[in-house]
Amino acid sequence: MSIATKDIIIEKVKNSKIDQVDFDNLAFGSVFTDHMLVCTYKNGAWETPTITPYQPITLDPSAKIFHYGQSIFEGMKAYKDKNNDVFLFRPLDNHKRLNISAARMCIPQIPEDYFMEGLTTLLNLDKDFIPTKDGGSLYIRPFMFASGNGFHASPANEYKFIIACAPSGAYFSGKVKVLIEEKYSRSANGGVGYAKAGGNYAGQFYPTQLAIEKGYNQVIWTDDTSHEYIEEAGAMNIFIRINDTLLTGPTSDRILDGITRKSILEIAKDQGIKTEVRKITVKEVVAAAKDGSLKEMFGAGTAAVISPIAGFGYRDTDYDLPELENSFGERLKKIITDIQYNKSEDKFGWRYQVKS
Ligand SMILES: *Cc1c(COP(=O)(O)O)cnc(C)c1O
């Protein structure tokens, strides 16, 4: 089964919404492009993808997504360079991961050409929505969910694969204060933490809200059994710099295999920064904060690229991180975004030009 661009059914908008978009004041993921891609899985096969005007979708109240939560997604971005050429960053890795998530949630696999042809055809139609302002990009949300009907607690027999896009401004979260969580868990051994499943986010909201009420912005997740090991920062992978070594935890059932994370590890190595992928204990981070060897902590993910952490709370004590010039975080962010925006040579082969 394969699909070519010419096979995709396209219904264009009559009037574009682009004039209503305030490109100078874009929030994150709150206005959408003219079109979306929709592909339905039915009778054991994917139907021909269609591109339609961006619009609500209709589902039966018994659709299994509402009851049993078969729902997964990806987050990626399209970037424009100064010549208005359009680029993606490691898009095949997003496709692979979507299918890894799909397998775990009993959702059918989406073929690579449906994903890539669908995405690039959609981007070509909506490319005027890709911001050109510094740091702006088109946030892309591919997702799949159970649209099949019935209250029976079993996998659905119908699914939708949809891609929707939102022009977005630079993602400045500012420096965040985080709380090391010891009661709640984001994920568990044998669980679904490695999948980009919607329910993982639902489960994070309540503990995060409690942390916000205590004056923090975000939660640092620890392992579910001992709570002694640091795993992720909110919905981002976490990096910790002790002296001049950059640490991050190993991916597992519980830690999502972030594309930003693995890119940062490669760039850091290339830059001669010492990296270690190993379990990180809360104890060593607290000790490093006390003796001054803790230099930086940051989250890593597609939306913010790198989100610097100003300090953390642990068992009623707050620890502040130093203000650093030339932090690893800033250095690595510049290198990765220069590759994404086609401002530098890409010796890793990560940039993917969307041909028109
Ligand atoms: C999406 C996500 C990340 C970051 O992955 P990227 O591929 O870098 O965007 C990290 N942790 C969790 C839990 C995530 O859902």
Side-chain angles (χ1 to χ4, degrees):
M1 197 171 52
S2 91
I3 193 93
T5 306
K6 63 171 173 35
D7 299 325
I8 298 173
I9 300 161
I10 298 176
E11 183 203 336
K12 286 192 192 172
V13 291
K14 295 200 178 67
N15 299 301
S16 175
K17 301 182 291 208
I18 198 153
D19 292 342
Q20 295 161 31
V21 178
D22 180 1
F23 281 95
D24 290 326
N25 294 292
L26 285 170
F28 182 80
S30 50
V31 292
F32 305 94
T33 62
D34 282 339
H35 301 95
M36 63 186 198
L37 179 102
V38 182
C39 190
T40 302
Y41 181 90
K42 215 179 195 168
N43 302 320
W46 288 102
E47 298 183 337
T48 306
T50 59
I51 289 176
T52 68
Y54 185 91
Q55 61 188 292
I57 45 185
T58 304
L59 293 170
D60 192 272
S62 77
K64 296 209 182 190
I65 167 67
F66 299 132
H67 308 277
Y68 307 120
Q70 278 177 290
S71 167
I72 55 170
F73 67 95
E74 274 302 319
M76 47 203 304
K77 285 173 169 177
Y79 314 86
K80 254 183 191 171
D81 72 359
K82 60 180 188 331
N83 301 320
N84 282 334
D85 286 329
V86 177
F87 298 91
L88 295 164
F89 185 71
R90 312 187 77 173
L92 294 170
D93 290 3
N94 292 98
H95 169 257
K96 273 196 206 115
R97 190 172 62 192
L98 186 63
N99 276 340
I100 290 170
S101 303
R104 182 63 180 85
M105 306 306 282
C106 262
I107 293 173
Q109 301 283 294
I110 184 87
E112 184 184 303
D113 53 348
Y114 279 55
F115 184 93
M116 290 305 297
E117 297 272 342
L119 175 59
T120 53
T121 309
L122 180 66
L123 287 176
N124 271 311
L125 270 178
D126 282 349
K127 67 174 158 220
D128 291 347
F129 283 87
I130 304 173
T132 49
K133 216 177 145 163
D134 236 16
S137 61
L138 187 71
Y139 185 75
I140 304 167
R141 174 55 61 85
F143 58 108
M144 292 209 264
F145 63 90
S147 54
N149 300 340
F151 288 147
H152 191 265
S154 56
N157 55 6
E158 273 184 42
Y159 295 86
K160 296 233 182 260
F161 167 61
I162 300 183
I163 305 179
C165 304
S168 299
Y171 194 106
F172 288 125
S173 51
K175 279 208 167 186
V176 296
K177 257 184 80 183
V178 296
L179 177 65
I180 297 182
E181 178 62 57
E182 290 191 282
K183 175 177 165 124
Y184 298 100
S185 302
R186 190 192 80 85
S187 58
N189 279 321
V192 301
Y194 68 89
K196 263 184 123 65
N200 285 339
Y201 286 72
Q204 284 184 225
F205 291 159
Y206 178 64
T208 305
Q209 199 174 302
L210 295 180
I212 290 169
E213 281 164 17
K214 287 185 195 156
Y216 300 93
N217 307 95
Q218 198 48 268
V219 164
I220 298 291
W221 300 107
T222 53
D223 69 288
D224 62 302
T225 19
S226 69
H227 295 291
E228 285 174 19
Y229 299 98
I230 290 189
E231 303 218 309
E232 292 206 62
M236 288 188 278
N237 293 115
I238 189 164
F239 283 85
I240 296 172
R241 172 179 171 189
I242 296 181
N243 289 319
D244 282 334
T245 304
L246 195 57
L247 307 170
T248 193
T251 56
S252 64
D253 275 6
R254 304 182 308 270
I255 300 184
L256 191 122
D257 187 3
I259 294 165
T260 317
R261 171 188 173 279
K262 65 183 181 186
S263 304
I264 285 174
L265 281 173
E266 278 197 58
I267 294 172
K269 277 179 211 158
D270 184 63
Q271 290 287 305
I273 294 172
K274 192 168 171 241
T275 60
E276 278 177 25
V277 177
R278 62 163 172 85
K279 288 182 160 189
I280 305 161
T281 62
V282 175
K283 222 178 180 173
E284 70 178 309
V285 174
V286 171
K290 285 183 182 161
D291 72 19
S293 57
L294 180 66
K295 304 294 184 197
E296 285 178 61
M297 292 170 69
F298 55 83
T302 296
V305 188
I306 277 170
S307 179
I309 292 170
F312 67 92
Y314 177 63
R315 295 189 178 166
D316 302 323
T317 308
D318 282 340
Y319 300 86
D320 290 327
L321 272 79
E323 284 284 341
L324 281 191
E325 305 232 333
N326 300 318
S327 65
F328 284 177
E330 275 170 53
R331 238 172 93 187
L332 295 163
K333 180 175 181 173
K334 178 160 186 346
I335 296 170
I336 194 167
T337 52
D338 279 356
I339 294 173
Q340 290 168 333
Y341 287 88
N342 193 27
K343 288 183 182 169
S344 70
E345 185 207 344
D346 170 24
K347 65 172 162 189
F348 305 98
W350 292 335
R351 202 158 49 215
Y352 180 100
Q353 183 163 6
V354 178
K355 300 271 161 51
S356 48

